[in-house]
Amino acid sequence: MATLLLLRHGRTTANADGGLAGRQPVELDDTGRAQAAAVGERLRALPLATVVTSPLIRCRQTLELALPQVAPVVEEGLIECGYGTWEGQPLKKLAKEPLWPVVQQHPSAAVFPEGEAMAAMAARAVAAVRTWDARVTAEHGPEAVWLACSHGDVIKAIVADALGVHLDLFQRIVADPASVTAIRYTPLRPFLVRLNDTGGDLAALVRRASRRADSDAAVGGGAGAAG
């Protein structure tokens, strides 16, 4: 199957101020713009078959700076979780809310006031990337590499699904601004190839994707497993 690169948007003014942006139209700050330009230098060597993005402006700005020659496709399934009345509030204030420990320890039960359930966010995000991955593989072949730009919680939920762990464990996963996470979906299971990569050589992902031997054929493990 194709290789999916999950790109988190660069740092925003809300990230810098300690606020919860949610679906508000917050934009990249100077650091975020620099992060987007830097990750673009790493991505431009890759033959990206498709680029899709959350509709929110911080993701679109990240791609405009990182891959100015690309016209990304907007995918609503990659939008940030709907935090409802929590949006725009300081995280320090939200940490005092009764729902906060539920979000941190039992997120599969968390439903934000006038907003979205975290389980619903995870389900639609996973469905979106799996649908796109199958489409990219069908149209461009199993060695294709494609990119999806989204948000921290969305990426963490997709990674949790790829690892086969419960959503209640997804807070253990980290996805920093402008980081790249790589997943390969195969007929038997997904492989998490990279996680929260903020400086590695992404060209190696093309070499990995082009190997003819399927990782699932390795006895007792994934790609690169030692005997």
Side-chain angles (χ1 to χ4, degrees):
M1 301 292 283
T3 299
L4 161 63
L5 305 184
L6 291 166
L7 171 65
R8 186 183 174 189
H9 60 78
R11 195 179 82 165
T12 67
T13 54
N15 295 144
D17 294 339
L20 184 64
R23 297 180 180 179
Q24 294 185 328
V26 299
E27 301 189 20
L28 302 184
D29 66 4
D30 289 342
T31 296
R33 287 189 283 272
Q35 289 172 334
V39 76
E41 292 298 321
R42 300 167 60 212
L43 290 170
R44 283 172 196 152
L46 301 181
L48 297 175
T50 302
V51 176
V52 301
T53 182
S54 158
L56 296 181
I57 189 169
R58 55 191 183 268
C59 288
R60 292 186 283 110
Q61 284 180 330
T62 297
L63 290 177
E64 287 170 3
L65 291 166
L67 300 169
Q69 76 281 12
V70 172
V73 179
V74 171
E75 169 52 63
E76 294 290 340
L78 295 176
I79 196 170
E80 178 65 285
C81 185
Y83 298 117
T85 59
W86 279 30
E87 292 187 2
Q89 297 195 48
L91 292 173
K92 288 183 178 179
K93 177 183 177 182
L94 294 173
K96 300 175 183 178
E97 294 286 336
L99 183 61
W100 182 266
V102 180
V103 172
Q104 300 304 316
Q105 301 174 35
H106 189 25
S108 64
V111 181
F112 293 98
E114 300 181 28
E116 186 177 23
M118 295 206 85
M121 174 274 290
R124 49 96 170 158
V126 169
V129 296
R130 285 180 176 266
T131 298
W132 272 102
D133 194 77
R135 183 183 306 171
V136 171
T137 300
E139 294 179 359
H140 300 279
E143 297 180 2
V145 180
W146 68 285
L147 183 143
C149 187
S150 190
H151 309 271
D153 280 349
V154 175
I155 291 172
K156 288 158 57 178
I158 294 169
V159 170
D161 170 75
L163 290 173
V165 303
H166 198 280
L167 184 63
D168 286 344
L169 301 179
F170 99 131
Q171 297 289 23
R172 303 182 184 192
I173 299 165
V174 176
D176 288 324
S179 64
V180 175
T181 292
I183 297 172
R184 291 193 66 215
Y185 294 100
T186 77
L188 296 182
R189 56 190 169 183
F191 287 93
L192 180 62
V193 182
R194 295 280 182 93
L195 176 63
N196 197 37
D197 187 330
T198 57
D201 176 17
L202 297 180
L205 295 173
V206 177
R207 292 193 292 270
R208 178 183 296 272
S210 66
R211 291 175 185 169
R212 293 296 180 181
D214 193 321
S215 296
D216 278 330
V219 176

